Structure formats: structure tokens, C-alpha cells
Amino acid sequence: MRIVTHFPHEIVELENEWIVLADGTRLAARIWMPREARERPVPALLEYLPYRKNDGTAVRDSIRHPYLAGHGYAAVRVDMRGSGDSDGILLDEYLPQEQADALEILEWIAAQSWCTGKIGMFGKSWGGFNALQIAAHRPPALKAIITIASTDDRYADDVHYMGGCLLAYDMLPWASIMLTANATPPDPRWVGERWREMWLRRIEETPAYIESWMTHQRRSDYWKQGSVCEDWGAIDIPVYAVGGWADGYTNAIPRLLAGLRGPRKGLIGPWAHNFPEEGVPGPAIGFLQESLRWWDTWLKGIDTGIMDEPMLASWLQESDPPRTFYPDRRGRWVADPAWPSSNVKPETRHLGDGGRLMAEASALRFPPATAGVLSSGYDTQAWCPYGLPGNFAPDQRATDGQWLTFTMPPADQPADYLGFPRVRLQLMVDRPQAQVAARLCDVGPDGSSTLVSYGVLNLTHRNGHELPEPVPVKEPVAVEFDLNAIGYTLLPGHAWRLSLSPSYWPMVWPSPEEVMLTVLAGSLELPRRETGEALPPPAFLPPECAPPINTEVIRTGKVTKNWCRDLITGRAVLEAIYDEGRLRFAESGLEIEDWRLDRFTSLDGDPLTAAVDCAGRLAYRREDWAVRVETTSRMTADRTHFYLTNRLEAFEGEVRVAARSWERKIPRDGV
């Protein structure tokens, strides 16, 4: 990525500015703006996060916010209530309090002498979520947003649930990360001697988020709050929705384009959970330049031509051998003038005897059945990849061999697909609580199998996610569900393979009993994209950014990921360690260490042996100030309940200053 050192406007930075809310709560903000902004006000851009502006996101903020400021904007980065140097306690994700605070922040920004009164919001993940949620409140100063890697539906597309199934892969690990982060202290550099009092209060009052998430196993009002799909009409300002095929949140982009009625654009690249200018897998694009075209249009009234371009730009990935890490993905950009697109038509393939995926429908004379193999799912990808080594799925041939598979003949010419694959099944199960998982793979001429998409459905949720109902035992049941959206070009000699199983551990938590799944009939509907209207592909500039903040790597980090199976006991273990190393910020002298572990275990044939264990450590040091927080979390289940255990310890130097424990038993509610 090209580093830009000279901008149209000279930049000034306010490293810490206090925003005082109506209830007296002080929120910490970091602000970059053109030097002349107090005499010649500029529009403002807000990013609003719980990730500590002075260390947690300091590096990524330094390459982005000054760039925007250098092009004529006041870039404002605010720590949420209870995070970083801000007062209060962060009690959960996306609460009404978070949104109410944001409305006050927007009023404060609009009233500043350096602001024209016009504001945009942007963010990735949490910041993308709340940009949508706050837009739905229609604050008068908010004129447009860019939402990256977010969702319109908190129950359908976040780390908690998928298809009514509990997401084991990311749910407890994410709760563990937030438990550790929420118990860290503010920086004495900004809050002074209050830091210890604020720290101890955070430790005493911060909740274990996993408990709230597990007590809401249905799509209840808890999840509907903050899900903008509940009222598309609430958002009337321009929305630019952005994501990547390798990310866990891309499904929301087609839904946003179809549901919103105001000005809107969509962009889907090959990326994981990254900003597009740092996108991995590549190619990354000059998204900071692209975002300036958006902001200039809606905040400065400059006709940049961005709204004359097609509504959706998508990177169609080409068939690629399976790898656990992709630095780049082959493919090309395509454009669709609207979504749903008239270029996309359904292409249906039917399940046939002998594991065939056929163009013609026919009854399965020999319905295949499987109890699944619990450990077969260990060869999967992360639910939300960050583009790190080990985030992507290896060759799926071994897993395919343990699932029911249906494979079509190899393609004789390239075929493009864009949208949601959909599975329709007639099936039987022998237990009243069961699930079905589907994987879509690209089988190469050499037999290698690359995971392209997947989906799951809790069969007790087959008629909706609000009122689960038992599955009729050994009776035919009709179900249908979407797989994750795809943008893909299947090359000649390659073939689609659909694989089915009654379990997909550790992606989702297994049913309480081993289930025999029998498939009676079914089909796969693929979103085939024809050439359609001739449109030029998008022309994105190369990525560029502002200079990163000055840091020193004291200890290099490392990611390790292994899974193994004891051939005597049958115990399978997947363990991932994310060691971020030790980093020192040159200007502030602050040093930070971040380490965490996620472990998934199980015994084949016994779903009640499934367990998730997480551990985390965050440490901060400056001169004679040294603090750290350590946590452990564990989740298990029996036939009727889930069991949650969380532990937290806080240290000043080597002295333990506080400790807390949480124990919770929560009934299984159709999960």
C-alpha cells in the first residue's frame, strides 16, 4: 500500500478531547482535522468503537483518519462508554444506550466551530453495525454512512447464531475477547489518578456477555433491537455497504441493497474481515479514495459521478486450489445496475442416486443416510476469517467422504454465480432435536475440493426462528435454507459438490443426541449470472494511506493452529493460538501485549462431549505502570442445559488486585 505524506490540507491532531454527555459521562475522542478548520469549517466523519483509540486501534486509525483529514474532513474517533478512556461500563453489544450516546456525540460534533454541521459515519464490524443502527434514528446532522463488514440482522449474521444453530466457532471466543478487553484500565496519561478507581469498577461491574447471548436462543426482541431489517424505511440517508466473500458478514449486503429505498451502493471484494485498502485475500483496492468520492458527494455537494455507476460491484473469484491461506484470489470485477439483478437467474440441480447432482429431477430410489462424524467438521474455515494463516479451509476431500455428497459433471465452459445458493430437502431424522448442514465445494480436475460456501439449519426452527418446534421423528419433513452468498466463476473441468450432514462441529454446537439423517429428495438452486447488460467493470485506484503511527516491535507475534485426533480414545482437539506479540508506541511510550487461545474438543459418537475453552491475556506497561488482565472461559452442555464458566484476574505489577468468577446453567431451548 502506497503511503501518502503530503495532502491538500495540513493536519492538526487533538490526541484526547472530552465529550461530556447529558448524564455527566465523559467520552474520550481523538480528532484529526485540517489546520484551517476553525476558520473554514469542514464536514466531519465519526468512527465510534469500544476498542481503545490510543492503543487498540491506534495503528489502523493512524493510516485512515489523518488521510481523511488531509482531504478536508474532521475525522473523529470516539471510545464508547465503558471502553478505553471513557467513563462508565460497557454492558453488552449494540444497546439502546450506545445509540443514545451516539446521538449526543453527533450533536456535539455538529455544534463545534470546526464543523459545517454535516456528518458521515463509517466503520468496520462494530462500527459498521452502529452506523446502520444510528442512521435508523435519523439524527439531523448525519447525512450518509459507509458500513463495512456488518449486518442488518443480529440473529442471522453475527457471531452468535446461524440458521437457528448456536455458532460454537466464534461465540464463546468473541465473548472471551470482550470479557478481557472490558476489564482493562483507562490510561493514566489521560484520566490521571482516577484510572485505578475506574479500573476496579470495570472489573466489578463488567458482565460476561456470553450469558446474555445464551439466554436468548430464539430470534427475540433482544436480537431485533439493533437489527435494521426490522424497519427498512427507518433509514433514509445514503448507505454504502461493503464487505468481502471471505468475511462472515457479507450476506447483509444483498439484503441491504434490496431492502433500503434511499441512495445506496454495494461493494464485495475477495477480502476477509478487513478494510478494502488492506484487503486480504487481495487484490486490495484504493478504498480511501473511493470513500472520499462518497463523502464528497453527500457531505460537500460535489458531483464525483459515484452515483452514476452501477449499484453493486462484485469480485467474481475463480476456481482455486484449496489453501488455508490465500494472499490473493484470482478473478475479475463485475457490475450490476441494481439488486436483485436481472443478470442473475436460478439454475437448479437435483439430488440423484449414486451421489449425482443432476439437471433433471428424479426420485431417490436409495435414500442415503448418515449419523455424521462429529470430528469431520474440524477441517473447516473460521466463521469470521481475518485473512490470517489457517483461517481458510484445507482440502475438503476427507470431510466430503464423511458426509452425504452429490456431485455434478464437470463444467465444459466457465460459469459465473452471484448471490445466495439455496438448498431444498425432503428429509427424515430419528430425533426431535436435529440440524442439517450443507457445504458447497468446487471439485477440481485432480479431485481436490475447495470450500466455497456453507449453511446450516436448526430443524426445530424450520418454520421460523421465534417459535421452535420439535421435529417429527422418522417422518418426511420439507425444509429449505440459504447458504452464504457467493461470487464465483466455476472454470471448465471443475464441478459443484453439495455435501450434507446432521452435524458441523465446531462451526455450530451439535444436537444433544446423535442424529441419523436420511435424505429422501432435494435440490440445489444456484444463482447463475449471465452476461446480461454490458457494463464496464469498476476501475478502482491502487490502495494508499497516511503514514502509520511510529511503533517498535519488542516481540514478534505468531499464529498457530492445529487439530489432532487420539486414535485410541477418539478425542479430537482443535487449538488456535493468536499471539500478537509485544508492541511499543514511540510517542506515548505505552507497551501492549495481546495473547489468546481457543480450544475445541469432542469425542466421535457423543455430542455431549463437545466443549469450548478460551483464554486471554492483555497487558499494558509504561515506565513504572504495569497492569494486565487474564481470563478463562469454558462452555459445555448436557441434554438439557448449557454450562458456562468464566474467570477473570487483574494484576498491577505482579500483585493480584482483583478476581471474579461467573458460573451459569442455562436451559437448552431447541438448540
Side-chain angles (χ1 to χ4, degrees):
M1 183 157 51
R2 187 173 78 92
I3 295 175
V4 180
T5 56
H6 294 89
F7 298 101
H9 299 266
E10 185 180 353
I11 305 163
V12 294
E13 178 185 350
L14 307 177
E15 198 171 354
N16 194 78
E17 183 83 2
W18 296 112
I19 301 174
V20 182
L21 304 181
D23 66 358
T25 299
R26 295 197 313 172
L27 301 185
R30 193 168 189 169
I31 304 173
W32 299 259
M33 68 178 75
R35 181 172 294 279
E36 71 277 12
R38 295 190 188 278
E39 290 73 38
R40 292 190 292 278
V42 295
L45 301 173
L46 170 64
E47 188 179 18
Y48 176 51
L49 296 172
Y51 302 139
R52 303 179 63 95
K53 65 180 175 59
N54 290 320
D55 48 76
T57 63
V59 174
R60 89 177 202 191
D61 292 347
S62 69
I63 68 172
R64 196 161 288 111
H65 287 268
Y67 185 98
L68 298 168
H71 287 87
Y73 291 89
V76 184
R77 166 69 176 85
V78 177
D79 279 342
M80 288 177 186
R81 180 188 296 253
S83 69
D85 300 318
S86 294
D87 294 347
I89 305 296
L90 188 61
L91 296 172
D92 202 349
E93 303 171 312
Y94 317 121
L95 291 176
Q97 180 70 66
E98 174 186 326
Q99 297 160 44
D101 289 352
L103 298 179
E104 288 197 57
I105 294 168
L106 291 170
E107 289 182 3
W108 182 88
I109 294 172
Q112 300 307 299
S113 62
W114 38 261
C115 181
T116 61
K118 294 183 177 182
I119 306 173
M121 282 191 71
F122 74 94
K124 175 179 74 74
S125 201
W126 198 312
F129 274 66
N130 63 36
L132 285 166
Q133 293 159 357
I134 294 159
H137 288 277
R138 297 188 177 183
L142 186 61
K143 304 301 182 183
I145 66 169
I146 295 177
T147 176
I148 304 169
S150 71
T151 188
D152 60 317
D153 189 334
R154 293 181 55 216
Y155 186 77
D157 285 309
D158 201 1
V159 299
H160 319 97
Y161 296 90
M162 181 180 189
C165 300
L166 191 155
L167 277 166
Y169 206 106
D170 269 36
M171 190 180 200
L172 186 66
W174 179 242
S176 174
I177 288 171
M178 291 308 298
L179 181 66
T180 313
N182 289 345
T184 57
D187 192 334
R189 183 181 178 212
W190 301 117
V191 303
E193 292 303 317
R194 296 176 61 231
W195 77 269
R196 186 178 284 104
E197 175 189 349
M198 292 173 67
W199 185 29
L200 295 177
R201 184 188 167 206
R202 287 181 184 179
I203 294 169
E204 180 63 28
E205 297 183 23
T206 192
Y209 290 179
I210 186 68
E211 294 183 353
S212 291
W213 302 342
M214 289 301 302
T215 53
H216 297 90
Q217 295 168 33
R218 310 180 184 199
R219 193 177 186 278
S220 61
D221 289 343
Y222 176 85
W223 302 108
K224 292 177 185 178
Q225 192 284 127
S227 293
V228 300
C229 63
E230 291 296 306
D231 181 8
W232 293 115
I235 298 177
D236 59 0
I237 60 172
V239 174
Y240 201 163
V242 181
W245 296 121
D247 186 32
Y249 293 95
T250 309
N251 293 336
I253 296 174
R255 293 198 303 261
L256 285 164
L257 297 182
L260 295 172
R261 292 295 173 261
R264 58 204 185 277
K265 281 183 68 69
L267 170 64
I268 309 176
W271 319 299
H273 202 59
N274 318 121
F275 283 92
E277 61 269 30
E278 300 178 285
V280 177
I285 65 168
F287 188 70
L288 282 170
Q289 302 97 301
E290 177 75 358
S291 65
L292 285 172
R293 297 176 66 221
W294 179 259
W295 300 129
D296 285 350
T297 296
W298 299 112
L299 301 185
K300 293 184 178 179
I302 300 170
D303 184 4
T304 65
I306 195 168
M307 297 309 296
D308 298 328
E309 297 165 2
M311 180 182 289
L312 176 62
S314 310
W315 179 263
L316 293 191
Q317 302 177 142
E318 291 184 359
S319 296
D320 237 338
R323 300 187 185 98
T324 59
F325 174 71
Y326 292 94
D328 295 284
R329 287 302 302 259
R330 295 182 299 172
R332 73 189 194 281
W333 288 106
V334 298
D336 287 272
W339 194 267
S341 173
S342 59
N343 295 333
V344 178
K345 307 292 183 185
E347 175 184 281
T348 302
R349 302 280 176 165
H350 301 272
L351 310 189
D353 288 319
R356 292 177 296 164
L357 201 54
M358 310 185 304
E360 304 82 20
S362 65
L364 288 173
R365 293 173 297 168
F366 309 103
T370 180
V373 179
L374 204 60
S375 62
S376 70
Y378 280 98
D379 260 352
T380 190
Q381 66 175 44
W383 179 83
C384 183
Y386 282 76
L388 300 172
N391 270 183
F392 302 104
D395 196 324
Q396 298 288 284
R397 272 181 282 197
T399 304
D400 293 349
Q402 295 176 312
W403 291 38
L404 303 179
T405 61
F406 302 86
T407 309
M408 76 175 211
D412 56 8
Q413 59 184 354
D416 294 340
Y417 299 88
L418 181 62
F420 293 96
R422 190 164 185 81
V423 172
R424 294 182 173 88
L425 299 172
Q426 288 274 347
L427 54 79
M428 282 195 312
V429 292
D430 63 347
R431 295 291 185 269
Q433 196 167 322
Q435 59 191 218
V436 60
R439 289 179 299 110
L440 181 65
C441 292
D442 171 356
V443 180
D446 62 352
S448 62
S449 181
T450 301
L451 182 64
V452 176
S453 182
Y454 65 92
V456 294
L457 177 65
N458 180 342
L459 295 178
T460 70
H461 288 228
R462 65 195 180 280
N463 294 319
H465 296 305
E466 297 186 35
L467 297 172
E469 48 191 285
V471 189
V473 173
K474 296 183 180 179
E475 295 182 14
V477 175
V479 300
E480 56 183 273
F481 57 99
D482 285 344
L483 279 58
N484 289 328
I486 63 173
Y488 206 80
T489 299
L490 191 72
L491 295 180
H494 290 249
W496 287 123
R497 173 177 290 162
L498 177 69
S499 301
L500 303 170
S501 172
S503 67
Y504 198 9
W505 169 261
M507 182 62 74
V508 299
W509 204 273
S511 303
E513 298 179 275
E514 194 171 38
V515 173
M516 180 64 69
L517 169 70
T518 302
V519 178
L520 305 173
S523 64
L524 169 66
E525 184 181 284
L526 292 162
R528 179 70 179 268
R529 185 183 187 277
E530 305 294 347
T531 303
E533 180 183 351
L535 290 170
F540 296 111
L541 296 172
E544 61 183 33
C545 66
I549 195 170
N550 189 12
T551 58
E552 175 189 357
V553 176
I554 298 174
R555 182 176 63 80
T556 302
K558 185 180 180 182
V559 177
T560 60
K561 186 176 182 181
N562 297 284
W563 91 270
C564 63
R565 183 179 178 185
D566 188 317
L567 296 179
I568 297 174
T569 66
R571 182 175 185 263
V573 181
L574 170 65
E575 184 174 277
I577 297 175
Y578 304 92
D579 182 355
E580 303 289 342
R582 187 173 177 183
L583 188 70
R584 182 178 184 273
F585 296 95
E587 285 78 8
S588 67
L590 182 69
E591 296 178 11
I592 179 172
E593 283 189 283
D594 185 353
W595 177 94
R596 59 188 175 91
L597 172 147
D598 300 327
R599 182 185 296 119
F600 307 86
T601 57
S602 63
L603 287 174
D604 282 341
D606 187 356
L608 299 183
T609 60
V612 183
D613 290 274
C614 302
R617 181 175 67 248
L618 274 170
Y620 301 88
R621 178 186 298 273
R622 181 192 291 113
E623 298 174 346
D624 59 350
W625 180 70
V627 295
R628 76 177 188 275
V629 174
E630 299 179 354
T631 63
T632 59
S633 301
R634 180 171 173 80
M635 182 170 171
T636 60
D638 60 22
R639 292 179 188 273
T640 59
H641 289 81
F642 290 102
Y643 298 87
L644 306 173
T645 303
N646 289 280
R647 303 272 189 266
L648 184 154
E649 291 183 299
F651 297 85
E652 187 174 353
E654 295 305 315
V655 178
R656 192 177 78 169
V657 296
R660 283 189 69 190
S661 297
W662 295 258
E663 302 277 350
R664 191 74 183 270
K665 177 182 177 181
I666 298 174
R668 298 182 78 139
D669 185 15
V671 175

